[in-house]
Amino acid sequence: MPEQSPHTLLEEGFRWFGPDDPVPLSHIRQTGASALFNSLHEIPYGETWPLEAIRQRQAAIEAAGLSWRIVESLPVHEDLKTGRGNLRTLLGNYRRSLRNLAEAGIRTVVYNFMPVLDWVRTDMSWPLPGGARSLHFDPIRFAAFELHALKRPGAEDTYSPEQIEAADRWWRTLDTKGQERFIQTVIDVFPGVKWGLTLNHIRQMLDRYQGIHTAELRANLERFLSAVIPVAEEVGIRMAIHPDDPPFPILGLPRILSTAADIEAVFALADHPANGLCFCSGSFSARPDNDLVAMIERFGSRIHAAHLRNTQRKDDGTFYEGGHLDGSADMAGIVRALLNEQDRRQAEGRRDCQITFRPDHGHVMMDDLDKSVVITPGYPSIGRMRGLAEIRGLMHGLRHTQTLRKYPSFTTEIHALPRE
Ligand code: DNO
């Protein structure tokens, strides 16, 4: 990490899904963000990432004038989450990948420990009043998925009779094609890959979680962390776990990272700074009892990366992804808390004081609405760039206000400030 000057902004990042991403590196460069969140999606989950492949990707990114700052994600194989299978080999491979990444100079690795599905929405093209499209989650539609498509045994016990009736009603509005489209929306959204999953695959994956409740899943995470964190620590890598999205139980599966109490419990499993968090404001904000600013103030020292986006929650339990500054989460408060955390780190003399964020998700809007290429759900270029620009403006505004308070006659560039 470079030396930081006082009042540094957060580092601006952008996600790139690799050479097949319809958003090319040259476009990302134009956004002004330079820190890439990238993964080697072509390597199957559980295999070692060879140093050569890492270096090749890194060279491609650097040739575009950008830098591969964060691995998102180094996926955790389902066997490690269920605790069944050839765990020794999987853990050994993960550790080797970390060593190779460190050798290439990459210092932050995002991963998640969500069972079966990475993230879930019930509509990837929810119309907003102005004509842009957003991502939406509706518990009634999700109930329809469980009850009518997946036919998950026991699902009916988790819904009220009114919800079951509403789900039936909605399901009946879909024709066969509509049902098929809806099912794919729910089950096949893994970052950077299309697996062509079917309902039967999901049923088999769910079966493997029989008997695995919160305590077991947490114990499996502990096993993973105790194998991986010592290596991360040794080679200087910070691990950043991504929260549950959505942050409540689905499909009868356990969830272990939805609230502040969960973060505390996960940190306690391996009490070392290398065991850290990817603070995703979008995931956490879908729950009304999460106070995001307080979470950053409390756990900030172990936040190693941030995903900034907003959700708009409704009283009926639905939520959609609003504009980055526009939703249930107090984005100004969140960004201010992250900037304060950077200042705190700097005062402490920590070398890794700058926090890298990416504008997470974005609306499909303007020219993106008419593109013939398939846009990765949540990852259109224009909507994300709008989010980035808004957060960039917010950071500058917040720093400017701080500066004016401290140096009332100050008028020039914030970066030119003298050291305190
Ligand atoms: C969704 C993303 C997640 C995230 C992984 C991290 O848009 O934030 O897919 O990359 O859960 O492992």
Side-chain angles (χ1 to χ4, degrees), residues 15 17 72-76 110-114 118-119 121 135 189-191 240-243 245 278 280 283 307 309 321 358 360-361 377-379:
R15 188 175 202 172
F17 288 106
E72 178 172 347
S73 309
L74 181 54
V76 177
V110 174
Y111 69 103
N112 75 70
F113 222 75
M114 282 179 262
D118 187 296
W119 57 286
R121 297 291 181 273
L135 308 181
V189 190
F190 288 84
I241 189 168
H242 187 281
D245 185 0
C278 172
C280 177
S283 303
H307 290 172
R309 77 176 154 84
E321 300 194 5
R358 63 175 177 81
D360 195 16
H361 299 182
Y379 292 89

mmCIF file of all heavy atoms in Angstrom, residues 15 17 72-76 110-114 118-119 121 135 189-191 240-243 245 278 280 283 307 309 321 358 360-361 377-379, ligand 1:
data_model
loop_
_atom_site.group_PDB
_atom_site.id
_atom_site.type_symbol
_atom_site.label_atom_id
_atom_site.label_comp_id
_atom_site.label_asym_id
_atom_site.label_seq_id
_atom_site.Cartn_x
_atom_site.Cartn_y
_atom_site.Cartn_z
ATOM 1 N N ARG A 15 -15.589 -3.422 -10.518
ATOM 2 C CA ARG A 15 -15.493 -4.867 -10.729
ATOM 3 C C ARG A 15 -15.358 -5.178 -12.214
ATOM 4 O O ARG A 15 -16.034 -4.577 -13.050
ATOM 5 C CB ARG A 15 -16.745 -5.558 -10.188
ATOM 6 C CG ARG A 15 -16.610 -7.065 -10.201
ATOM 7 C CD ARG A 15 -17.788 -7.732 -9.558
ATOM 8 N NE ARG A 15 -17.443 -9.080 -9.120
ATOM 9 C CZ ARG A 15 -18.224 -9.857 -8.396
ATOM 10 N NH1 ARG A 15 -19.409 -9.435 -8.023
ATOM 11 N NH2 ARG A 15 -17.832 -11.052 -8.042
ATOM 12 N N PHE A 17 -15.181 -8.711 -14.775
ATOM 13 C CA PHE A 17 -15.359 -10.164 -14.745
ATOM 14 C C PHE A 17 -14.369 -10.905 -15.647
ATOM 15 O O PHE A 17 -14.539 -12.089 -15.903
ATOM 16 C CB PHE A 17 -16.792 -10.525 -15.131
ATOM 17 C CG PHE A 17 -17.800 -10.176 -14.048
ATOM 18 C CD1 PHE A 17 -18.650 -9.100 -14.183
ATOM 19 C CD2 PHE A 17 -17.874 -10.935 -12.887
ATOM 20 C CE1 PHE A 17 -19.564 -8.777 -13.179
ATOM 21 C CE2 PHE A 17 -18.779 -10.626 -11.878
ATOM 22 C CZ PHE A 17 -19.625 -9.539 -12.028
ATOM 23 N N GLU A 72 -11.870 -10.687 -6.059
ATOM 24 C CA GLU A 72 -13.276 -10.948 -5.728
ATOM 25 C C GLU A 72 -13.830 -11.832 -6.817
ATOM 26 O O GLU A 72 -14.036 -11.373 -7.932
ATOM 27 C CB GLU A 72 -14.105 -9.684 -5.660
ATOM 28 C CG GLU A 72 -15.558 -10.029 -5.359
ATOM 29 C CD GLU A 72 -16.431 -8.823 -5.083
ATOM 30 O OE1 GLU A 72 -15.895 -7.729 -4.879
ATOM 31 O OE2 GLU A 72 -17.646 -9.003 -5.114
ATOM 32 N N SER A 73 -14.029 -13.092 -6.420
ATOM 33 C CA SER A 73 -13.705 -13.729 -5.166
ATOM 34 C C SER A 73 -12.679 -14.832 -5.415
ATOM 35 O O SER A 73 -12.505 -15.272 -6.547
ATOM 36 C CB SER A 73 -14.937 -14.440 -4.621
ATOM 37 O OG SER A 73 -16.063 -13.620 -4.582
ATOM 38 N N LEU A 74 -12.092 -15.312 -4.311
ATOM 39 C CA LEU A 74 -11.444 -16.619 -4.357
ATOM 40 C C LEU A 74 -12.481 -17.547 -3.727
ATOM 41 O O LEU A 74 -12.628 -17.603 -2.507
ATOM 42 C CB LEU A 74 -10.133 -16.602 -3.556
ATOM 43 C CG LEU A 74 -9.338 -17.910 -3.534
ATOM 44 C CD1 LEU A 74 -9.043 -18.420 -4.934
ATOM 45 C CD2 LEU A 74 -8.034 -17.738 -2.769
ATOM 46 N N PRO A 75 -13.275 -18.236 -4.588
ATOM 47 C CA PRO A 75 -14.463 -18.916 -4.065
ATOM 48 C C PRO A 75 -14.116 -20.069 -3.121
ATOM 49 O O PRO A 75 -13.112 -20.753 -3.289
ATOM 50 C CB PRO A 75 -15.149 -19.457 -5.319
ATOM 51 C CG PRO A 75 -14.534 -18.735 -6.471
ATOM 52 C CD PRO A 75 -13.135 -18.382 -6.044
ATOM 53 N N VAL A 76 -14.978 -20.255 -2.165
ATOM 54 C CA VAL A 76 -14.848 -21.362 -1.211
ATOM 55 C C VAL A 76 -15.731 -22.499 -1.726
ATOM 56 O O VAL A 76 -16.935 -22.320 -1.936
ATOM 57 C CB VAL A 76 -15.310 -20.922 0.194
ATOM 58 C CG1 VAL A 76 -15.241 -22.089 1.170
ATOM 59 C CG2 VAL A 76 -14.474 -19.749 0.688
ATOM 60 N N VAL A 110 -11.529 -11.308 -1.259
ATOM 61 C CA VAL A 110 -12.932 -11.373 -0.845
ATOM 62 C C VAL A 110 -13.435 -12.794 -1.089
ATOM 63 O O VAL A 110 -13.051 -13.441 -2.064
ATOM 64 C CB VAL A 110 -13.781 -10.368 -1.669
ATOM 65 C CG1 VAL A 110 -15.266 -10.514 -1.363
ATOM 66 C CG2 VAL A 110 -13.326 -8.933 -1.401
ATOM 67 N N TYR A 111 -14.275 -13.277 -0.187
ATOM 68 C CA TYR A 111 -14.898 -14.597 -0.362
ATOM 69 C C TYR A 111 -16.223 -14.559 0.369
ATOM 70 O O TYR A 111 -16.541 -13.572 1.058
ATOM 71 C CB TYR A 111 -13.988 -15.700 0.219
ATOM 72 C CG TYR A 111 -13.885 -15.658 1.732
ATOM 73 C CD1 TYR A 111 -14.592 -16.562 2.529
ATOM 74 C CD2 TYR A 111 -13.129 -14.684 2.375
ATOM 75 C CE1 TYR A 111 -14.527 -16.507 3.917
ATOM 76 C CE2 TYR A 111 -13.061 -14.627 3.760
ATOM 77 C CZ TYR A 111 -13.763 -15.535 4.524
ATOM 78 O OH TYR A 111 -13.714 -15.463 5.892
ATOM 79 N N ASN A 112 -17.019 -15.598 0.213
ATOM 80 C CA ASN A 112 -18.242 -15.649 1.019
ATOM 81 C C ASN A 112 -18.433 -17.053 1.548
ATOM 82 O O ASN A 112 -17.817 -18.009 1.068
ATOM 83 C CB ASN A 112 -19.458 -15.172 0.212
ATOM 84 C CG ASN A 112 -19.918 -16.205 -0.780
ATOM 85 O OD1 ASN A 112 -20.452 -17.254 -0.413
ATOM 86 N ND2 ASN A 112 -19.683 -15.948 -2.067
ATOM 87 N N PHE A 113 -19.306 -17.160 2.515
ATOM 88 C CA PHE A 113 -19.613 -18.467 3.106
ATOM 89 C C PHE A 113 -21.125 -18.670 3.098
ATOM 90 O O PHE A 113 -21.715 -19.162 4.056
ATOM 91 C CB PHE A 113 -19.043 -18.550 4.530
ATOM 92 C CG PHE A 113 -18.392 -19.877 4.839
ATOM 93 C CD1 PHE A 113 -17.149 -20.208 4.320
ATOM 94 C CD2 PHE A 113 -19.024 -20.812 5.650
ATOM 95 C CE1 PHE A 113 -16.541 -21.432 4.607
ATOM 96 C CE2 PHE A 113 -18.428 -22.044 5.949
ATOM 97 C CZ PHE A 113 -17.184 -22.352 5.418
ATOM 98 N N MET A 114 -21.748 -18.258 1.976
ATOM 99 C CA MET A 114 -23.195 -18.434 1.837
ATOM 100 C C MET A 114 -23.447 -19.818 1.246
ATOM 101 O O MET A 114 -22.855 -20.175 0.231
ATOM 102 C CB MET A 114 -23.764 -17.395 0.869
ATOM 103 C CG MET A 114 -23.926 -16.024 1.460
ATOM 104 S SD MET A 114 -24.567 -14.873 0.220
ATOM 105 C CE MET A 114 -23.076 -14.063 -0.318
ATOM 106 N N ASP A 118 -25.185 -17.647 -4.286
ATOM 107 C CA ASP A 118 -24.329 -16.516 -3.947
ATOM 108 C C ASP A 118 -25.153 -15.296 -3.561
ATOM 109 O O ASP A 118 -24.974 -14.697 -2.520
ATOM 110 C CB ASP A 118 -23.418 -16.215 -5.142
ATOM 111 C CG ASP A 118 -22.378 -15.159 -4.826
ATOM 112 O OD1 ASP A 118 -22.763 -14.010 -4.559
ATOM 113 O OD2 ASP A 118 -21.169 -15.482 -4.845
ATOM 114 N N TRP A 119 -26.070 -14.897 -4.405
ATOM 115 C CA TRP A 119 -26.990 -13.821 -4.028
ATOM 116 C C TRP A 119 -28.290 -14.037 -4.770
ATOM 117 O O TRP A 119 -28.302 -14.691 -5.810
ATOM 118 C CB TRP A 119 -26.403 -12.424 -4.274
ATOM 119 C CG TRP A 119 -25.960 -12.121 -5.669
ATOM 120 C CD1 TRP A 119 -24.843 -12.591 -6.286
ATOM 121 C CD2 TRP A 119 -26.605 -11.254 -6.622
ATOM 122 N NE1 TRP A 119 -24.750 -12.084 -7.558
ATOM 123 C CE2 TRP A 119 -25.814 -11.250 -7.777
ATOM 124 C CE3 TRP A 119 -27.758 -10.474 -6.584
ATOM 125 C CZ2 TRP A 119 -26.145 -10.512 -8.904
ATOM 126 C CZ3 TRP A 119 -28.080 -9.717 -7.716
ATOM 127 C CH2 TRP A 119 -27.277 -9.757 -8.855
ATOM 128 N N ARG A 121 -32.154 -12.518 -6.106
ATOM 129 C CA ARG A 121 -33.213 -11.527 -6.346
ATOM 130 C C ARG A 121 -34.351 -12.256 -7.047
ATOM 131 O O ARG A 121 -34.150 -13.344 -7.612
ATOM 132 C CB ARG A 121 -32.723 -10.388 -7.254
ATOM 133 C CG ARG A 121 -31.598 -9.562 -6.700
ATOM 134 C CD ARG A 121 -32.009 -8.691 -5.511
ATOM 135 N NE ARG A 121 -30.873 -7.913 -5.057
ATOM 136 C CZ ARG A 121 -29.975 -8.343 -4.169
ATOM 137 N NH1 ARG A 121 -30.112 -9.535 -3.614
ATOM 138 N NH2 ARG A 121 -28.951 -7.600 -3.832
ATOM 139 N N LEU A 135 -32.681 -4.132 -9.619
ATOM 140 C CA LEU A 135 -32.825 -5.492 -9.085
ATOM 141 C C LEU A 135 -33.808 -5.442 -7.917
ATOM 142 O O LEU A 135 -33.792 -4.497 -7.129
ATOM 143 C CB LEU A 135 -31.480 -6.032 -8.598
ATOM 144 C CG LEU A 135 -30.317 -5.967 -9.593
ATOM 145 C CD1 LEU A 135 -29.052 -6.561 -8.975
ATOM 146 C CD2 LEU A 135 -30.660 -6.693 -10.876
ATOM 147 N N VAL A 189 -27.364 -17.145 -10.731
ATOM 148 C CA VAL A 189 -26.659 -15.863 -10.701
ATOM 149 C C VAL A 189 -25.410 -15.981 -9.852
ATOM 150 O O VAL A 189 -25.383 -15.591 -8.690
ATOM 151 C CB VAL A 189 -27.574 -14.741 -10.138
ATOM 152 C CG1 VAL A 189 -26.915 -13.386 -10.346
ATOM 153 C CG2 VAL A 189 -28.913 -14.774 -10.836
ATOM 154 N N PHE A 190 -24.401 -16.578 -10.447
ATOM 155 C CA PHE A 190 -23.123 -16.667 -9.761
ATOM 156 C C PHE A 190 -22.166 -15.735 -10.493
ATOM 157 O O PHE A 190 -22.178 -15.693 -11.727
ATOM 158 C CB PHE A 190 -22.594 -18.098 -9.782
ATOM 159 C CG PHE A 190 -23.386 -19.003 -8.876
ATOM 160 C CD1 PHE A 190 -24.563 -19.587 -9.318
ATOM 161 C CD2 PHE A 190 -22.971 -19.237 -7.570
ATOM 162 C CE1 PHE A 190 -25.306 -20.406 -8.481
ATOM 163 C CE2 PHE A 190 -23.709 -20.051 -6.729
ATOM 164 C CZ PHE A 190 -24.882 -20.641 -7.181
ATOM 165 N N PRO A 191 -21.341 -14.990 -9.743
ATOM 166 C CA PRO A 191 -20.501 -13.997 -10.394
ATOM 167 C C PRO A 191 -19.555 -14.608 -11.427
ATOM 168 O O PRO A 191 -18.837 -15.556 -11.126
ATOM 169 C CB PRO A 191 -19.725 -13.359 -9.238
ATOM 170 C CG PRO A 191 -20.033 -14.131 -8.026
ATOM 171 C CD PRO A 191 -21.185 -15.029 -8.297
ATOM 172 N N ALA A 240 -11.418 -10.970 3.369
ATOM 173 C CA ALA A 240 -12.591 -10.123 3.577
ATOM 174 C C ALA A 240 -13.849 -10.912 3.231
ATOM 175 O O ALA A 240 -14.151 -11.143 2.053
ATOM 176 C CB ALA A 240 -12.478 -8.875 2.701
ATOM 177 N N ILE A 241 -14.564 -11.336 4.254
ATOM 178 C CA ILE A 241 -15.766 -12.138 4.010
ATOM 179 C C ILE A 241 -16.931 -11.230 3.625
ATOM 180 O O ILE A 241 -17.104 -10.139 4.176
ATOM 181 C CB ILE A 241 -16.100 -13.024 5.240
ATOM 182 C CG1 ILE A 241 -17.215 -14.005 4.914
ATOM 183 C CG2 ILE A 241 -16.460 -12.193 6.468
ATOM 184 C CD1 ILE A 241 -17.419 -15.104 5.971
ATOM 185 N N HIS A 242 -17.697 -11.697 2.645
ATOM 186 C CA HIS A 242 -18.843 -10.918 2.154
ATOM 187 C C HIS A 242 -20.097 -11.346 2.923
ATOM 188 O O HIS A 242 -20.304 -12.538 3.146
ATOM 189 C CB HIS A 242 -19.030 -11.190 0.656
ATOM 190 C CG HIS A 242 -20.055 -10.325 0.001
ATOM 191 N ND1 HIS A 242 -21.409 -10.568 0.106
ATOM 192 C CD2 HIS A 242 -19.929 -9.215 -0.752
ATOM 193 C CE1 HIS A 242 -22.067 -9.636 -0.577
ATOM 194 N NE2 HIS A 242 -21.192 -8.801 -1.106
ATOM 195 N N PRO A 243 -20.943 -10.373 3.314
ATOM 196 C CA PRO A 243 -22.151 -10.753 4.070
ATOM 197 C C PRO A 243 -23.182 -11.499 3.231
ATOM 198 O O PRO A 243 -23.103 -11.537 1.999
ATOM 199 C CB PRO A 243 -22.725 -9.410 4.538
ATOM 200 C CG PRO A 243 -22.077 -8.366 3.696
ATOM 201 C CD PRO A 243 -20.797 -8.932 3.149
ATOM 202 N N ASP A 245 -26.513 -12.216 1.292
ATOM 203 C CA ASP A 245 -27.342 -11.355 0.440
ATOM 204 C C ASP A 245 -28.458 -12.205 -0.151
ATOM 205 O O ASP A 245 -28.188 -13.034 -1.012
ATOM 206 C CB ASP A 245 -26.465 -10.741 -0.646
ATOM 207 C CG ASP A 245 -27.242 -9.742 -1.490
ATOM 208 O OD1 ASP A 245 -28.441 -9.538 -1.221
ATOM 209 O OD2 ASP A 245 -26.649 -9.174 -2.427
ATOM 210 N N CYS A 278 -15.643 -7.694 4.047
ATOM 211 C CA CYS A 278 -15.950 -6.847 2.893
ATOM 212 C C CYS A 278 -17.266 -6.178 3.270
ATOM 213 O O CYS A 278 -18.301 -6.851 3.327
ATOM 214 C CB CYS A 278 -16.110 -7.701 1.634
ATOM 215 S SG CYS A 278 -16.712 -6.762 0.229
ATOM 216 N N CYS A 280 -20.441 -4.694 2.741
ATOM 217 C CA CYS A 280 -21.358 -4.490 1.613
ATOM 218 C C CYS A 280 -22.600 -3.768 2.127
ATOM 219 O O CYS A 280 -23.451 -4.367 2.788
ATOM 220 C CB CYS A 280 -21.744 -5.825 0.982
ATOM 221 S SG CYS A 280 -22.927 -5.610 -0.352
ATOM 222 N N SER A 283 -25.972 -5.328 0.946
ATOM 223 C CA SER A 283 -26.455 -6.520 1.644
ATOM 224 C C SER A 283 -26.971 -6.147 3.028
ATOM 225 O O SER A 283 -28.106 -6.473 3.390
ATOM 226 C CB SER A 283 -25.335 -7.555 1.802
ATOM 227 O OG SER A 283 -24.807 -7.891 0.546
ATOM 228 N N HIS A 307 -18.245 -2.555 -0.614
ATOM 229 C CA HIS A 307 -19.172 -2.494 -1.748
ATOM 230 C C HIS A 307 -20.196 -1.437 -1.372
ATOM 231 O O HIS A 307 -20.895 -1.591 -0.365
ATOM 232 C CB HIS A 307 -19.942 -3.812 -1.898
ATOM 233 C CG HIS A 307 -19.100 -4.961 -2.372
ATOM 234 N ND1 HIS A 307 -19.575 -6.255 -2.405
ATOM 235 C CD2 HIS A 307 -17.840 -5.002 -2.861
ATOM 236 C CE1 HIS A 307 -18.627 -7.045 -2.881
ATOM 237 N NE2 HIS A 307 -17.568 -6.315 -3.160
ATOM 238 N N ARG A 309 -23.582 0.405 -2.205
ATOM 239 C CA ARG A 309 -24.855 0.545 -2.917
ATOM 240 C C ARG A 309 -25.956 0.628 -1.897
ATOM 241 O O ARG A 309 -25.720 0.438 -0.702
ATOM 242 C CB ARG A 309 -25.075 -0.607 -3.910
ATOM 243 C CG ARG A 309 -25.504 -1.901 -3.299
ATOM 244 C CD ARG A 309 -25.784 -2.957 -4.352
ATOM 245 N NE ARG A 309 -25.597 -4.286 -3.794
ATOM 246 C CZ ARG A 309 -26.518 -4.958 -3.107
ATOM 247 N NH1 ARG A 309 -27.716 -4.409 -2.910
ATOM 248 N NH2 ARG A 309 -26.269 -6.150 -2.619
ATOM 249 N N GLU A 321 -33.037 -2.162 -5.460
ATOM 250 C CA GLU A 321 -31.792 -1.436 -5.340
ATOM 251 C C GLU A 321 -32.015 -0.024 -5.865
ATOM 252 O O GLU A 321 -32.278 0.179 -7.053
ATOM 253 C CB GLU A 321 -30.688 -2.181 -6.083
ATOM 254 C CG GLU A 321 -30.512 -3.578 -5.498
ATOM 255 C CD GLU A 321 -29.243 -4.287 -5.919
ATOM 256 O OE1 GLU A 321 -28.408 -3.678 -6.616
ATOM 257 O OE2 GLU A 321 -29.099 -5.463 -5.543
ATOM 258 N N ARG A 358 -15.898 -0.380 -4.308
ATOM 259 C CA ARG A 358 -16.409 -0.312 -5.680
ATOM 260 C C ARG A 358 -17.875 0.065 -5.617
ATOM 261 O O ARG A 358 -18.569 -0.279 -4.639
ATOM 262 C CB ARG A 358 -16.183 -1.616 -6.432
ATOM 263 C CG ARG A 358 -16.885 -2.840 -5.878
ATOM 264 C CD ARG A 358 -16.650 -4.030 -6.807
ATOM 265 N NE ARG A 358 -17.223 -5.271 -6.339
ATOM 266 C CZ ARG A 358 -18.499 -5.618 -6.472
ATOM 267 N NH1 ARG A 358 -19.364 -4.784 -7.016
ATOM 268 N NH2 ARG A 358 -18.929 -6.784 -6.041
ATOM 269 N N ASP A 360 -21.219 -0.764 -6.063
ATOM 270 C CA ASP A 360 -21.757 -2.102 -6.261
ATOM 271 C C ASP A 360 -23.055 -1.973 -7.051
ATOM 272 O O ASP A 360 -23.856 -1.072 -6.815
ATOM 273 C CB ASP A 360 -22.020 -2.743 -4.898
ATOM 274 C CG ASP A 360 -22.224 -4.250 -4.997
ATOM 275 O OD1 ASP A 360 -21.860 -4.825 -6.037
ATOM 276 O OD2 ASP A 360 -22.750 -4.840 -4.045
ATOM 277 N N HIS A 361 -23.237 -2.865 -7.971
ATOM 278 C CA HIS A 361 -24.434 -2.902 -8.828
ATOM 279 C C HIS A 361 -24.717 -1.514 -9.416
ATOM 280 O O HIS A 361 -24.014 -0.553 -9.144
ATOM 281 C CB HIS A 361 -25.648 -3.416 -8.054
ATOM 282 C CG HIS A 361 -25.458 -4.817 -7.548
ATOM 283 N ND1 HIS A 361 -26.411 -5.496 -6.860
ATOM 284 C CD2 HIS A 361 -24.401 -5.659 -7.651
ATOM 285 C CE1 HIS A 361 -25.958 -6.706 -6.529
ATOM 286 N NE2 HIS A 361 -24.741 -6.817 -7.007
ATOM 287 N N PRO A 377 -26.147 -9.354 -14.690
ATOM 288 C CA PRO A 377 -27.112 -8.759 -13.758
ATOM 289 C C PRO A 377 -26.415 -7.963 -12.647
ATOM 290 O O PRO A 377 -25.514 -8.462 -11.989
ATOM 291 C CB PRO A 377 -27.850 -9.972 -13.180
ATOM 292 C CG PRO A 377 -27.697 -11.032 -14.218
ATOM 293 C CD PRO A 377 -26.360 -10.798 -14.868
ATOM 294 N N GLY A 378 -26.825 -6.707 -12.518
ATOM 295 C CA GLY A 378 -26.245 -5.835 -11.487
ATOM 296 C C GLY A 378 -25.027 -5.056 -11.964
ATOM 297 O O GLY A 378 -24.604 -4.121 -11.297
ATOM 298 N N TYR A 379 -24.469 -5.433 -13.127
ATOM 299 C CA TYR A 379 -23.173 -4.857 -13.507
ATOM 300 C C TYR A 379 -23.139 -4.140 -14.862
ATOM 301 O O TYR A 379 -22.208 -4.328 -15.635
ATOM 302 C CB TYR A 379 -22.085 -5.934 -13.428
ATOM 303 C CG TYR A 379 -21.841 -6.349 -11.996
ATOM 304 C CD1 TYR A 379 -22.578 -7.372 -11.417
ATOM 305 C CD2 TYR A 379 -20.928 -5.671 -11.205
ATOM 306 C CE1 TYR A 379 -22.399 -7.727 -10.088
ATOM 307 C CE2 TYR A 379 -20.733 -6.021 -9.876
ATOM 308 C CZ TYR A 379 -21.469 -7.046 -9.326
ATOM 309 O OH TYR A 379 -21.283 -7.378 -8.005
HETATM 310 C C1 DNO B 1 -22.875 -9.580 -5.920
HETATM 311 C C2 DNO B 1 -21.570 -9.704 -5.274
HETATM 312 C C3 DNO B 1 -21.312 -11.100 -4.746
HETATM 313 C C4 DNO B 1 -19.902 -11.211 -4.207
HETATM 314 C C5 DNO B 1 -19.567 -12.553 -3.632
HETATM 315 C C6 DNO B 1 -18.276 -12.509 -2.874
HETATM 316 O O1 DNO B 1 -23.075 -8.706 -6.701
HETATM 317 O O2 DNO B 1 -21.372 -8.759 -4.306
HETATM 318 O O3 DNO B 1 -21.486 -12.007 -5.784
HETATM 319 O O4 DNO B 1 -18.996 -10.984 -5.231
HETATM 320 O O5 DNO B 1 -20.557 -13.004 -2.781
HETATM 321 O O6 DNO B 1 -17.803 -13.797 -2.657
#
